[in-house]
Amino acid sequence: GVGVRLPLPKTESCLAATKQWMGEAFASLAIVPSSGEDSAFPVEMKSGIGDTLMVREKEDSVTNAKGLPKVHRDVLSSAVLQIMAQDKPVMLEDVPEILEMDHRRLVGLQHTFQRLVVLSASCLLLHQLMGKRDAEEAEQVKDAFAKRVNALLLHPDTKLSHLSSELHNLLKQHCEGALELNEESIFNLLNDLLNEDGLAYKSLKKNMQAALLIALVEQPSNPATKANVLKSLKRSGSAVLYNKVAGSAEKVRDVVVIACKIHSRVLSHICVDN
């Protein structure tokens, strides 16, 4: 017999909006969407976008080793990513019904995303202020700085002034030409990058979302996956954040795999209906 479907308005609305966003994001990033009978949505790919067109293994376009439909994982992963990237706090009453049990983890993932954006902004500013330096040396400096800033961001009392102070001290050690910039100047530059209404901040968020989306929907074993994640991160001079992005993607997968198992029938209905 056919089971009774409970109304899940928040889930249906969220996944419908997510699939529309995925179509646009996949096309702009030249990602091949899931295909076959379980495809979430039709996407007409634009030719010539991106240097590398990601091609999935055919057998993985439907299910993975755990037997979970890939379309379910892709849609739900993208939904979680959008929740992570939203500017307003993640409130339980706004979370899709099928993710309500994961509310606390979603709050944690949003904090993680915010840290990644701040780290990306810091790396971008450091990249700009270091100027033309040896590429390997510059990456080593950024790596050391990113680790220090990440540690600071784990403390709730950390302020923007602490980050600008760290950046100023690092520049004094490694970049003689940057000594003319005082802490206040660096604070103002970093503050401008992190202005939520500014184009720079929106661009940083978009690049980070793109990097995470690629890490989530493409095969980790495919060398092109890492190359494309790095390509997105390099747009903001933050390739040193690759491991943190990959680690964040794994945390999202942990949430998504469980939700897919529990709500497989619901996801099947919604993916067909929308």
Side-chain angles (χ1 to χ4, degrees):
V2 179
V4 178
R5 287 185 59 192
L6 297 176
L8 301 171
K10 290 186 292 183
T11 298
E12 294 188 14
S13 175
C14 173
L15 296 189
T18 295
K19 286 190 287 184
Q20 181 177 351
W21 175 78
M22 285 172 69
E24 297 168 357
F26 278 27
S28 66
L29 294 170
I31 297 175
V32 180
S34 299
S35 58
E37 295 179 358
D38 75 333
S39 181
F41 47 83
V43 177
E44 183 177 346
M45 296 301 298
K46 299 177 182 178
S47 61
I49 298 178
D51 293 335
T52 305
L53 185 62
M54 309 285 253
V55 180
R56 293 193 181 95
E57 293 295 331
K58 185 175 180 181
E59 61 269 19
D60 193 69
S61 66
V62 178
T63 62
N64 71 345
K66 297 182 177 64
L68 300 173
K70 188 163 192 356
V71 62
H72 294 179
R73 291 183 287 125
D74 284 356
V75 172
L76 204 52
S77 294
S78 298
V80 171
L81 178 54
Q82 287 201 290
I83 292 171
M84 291 167 63
Q86 69 184 31
D87 291 327
K88 64 179 183 179
V90 180
M91 307 299 292
L92 179 59
E93 57 265 28
D94 299 326
V95 173
E97 294 87 353
I98 64 173
L99 291 172
E100 285 180 349
M101 290 189 300
D102 296 298
H103 174 244
R104 291 184 64 181
R105 298 178 78 178
L106 291 174
V107 170
L109 287 170
Q110 185 184 47
H111 292 165
T112 297
F113 184 83
Q114 290 168 346
R115 282 199 299 274
L116 287 171
V117 174
V118 173
L119 283 167
S120 182
S122 302
C123 286
L124 176 60
L125 183 55
L126 180 58
H127 179 78
Q128 292 172 338
L129 294 177
M130 288 185 72
K132 294 181 179 179
R133 300 182 65 83
D134 177 74
E136 185 176 349
E137 179 190 2
E139 289 303 305
Q140 289 175 351
V141 173
K142 282 193 284 185
D143 186 45
F145 176 67
K147 289 177 181 176
R148 175 59 182 157
V149 171
N150 186 59
L152 285 172
L153 292 175
L154 292 174
H155 293 278
D157 296 330
T158 295
K159 299 178 180 179
L160 191 61
S161 58
H162 298 144
L163 304 185
S164 59
S165 178
E166 282 289 328
L167 185 51
H168 181 258
N169 291 335
L170 188 68
L171 288 170
K172 282 199 301 184
Q173 295 174 32
H174 296 275
C175 310
E176 297 82 0
L179 290 177
E180 61 192 45
L181 290 173
N182 56 30
E183 282 192 41
E184 183 180 358
S185 299
I186 293 175
F187 174 88
N188 291 334
L189 289 170
L190 191 56
N191 191 49
D192 287 343
L193 281 176
L194 292 173
N195 175 11
E196 292 184 359
D197 296 323
L199 292 176
Y201 179 79
K202 292 175 181 178
S203 178
L204 287 167
K205 276 188 63 178
K206 184 177 180 179
N207 283 343
M208 189 55 66
Q209 274 188 287
L212 280 164
L213 180 63
I214 294 169
L216 283 166
V217 303
E218 294 299 338
Q219 300 309 307
S221 59
N222 185 344
T225 301
K226 182 174 181 178
N228 280 272
V229 172
L230 285 170
K231 181 180 177 181
S232 183
L233 292 175
K234 285 177 180 177
R235 294 192 184 103
S236 56
S238 53
V240 295
L241 300 182
Y242 173 79
N243 288 336
K244 296 186 186 304
V245 169
S248 299
E250 281 302 316
K251 291 179 181 178
V252 173
R253 285 193 191 95
D254 289 342
V255 172
V256 168
V257 167
I258 294 173
C260 283
K261 288 181 177 179
I262 295 174
H263 303 289
S264 60
R265 290 188 178 182
V266 170
L267 287 167
S268 294
H269 281 298
I270 292 176
C271 285
V272 168
D273 290 351
N274 283 307

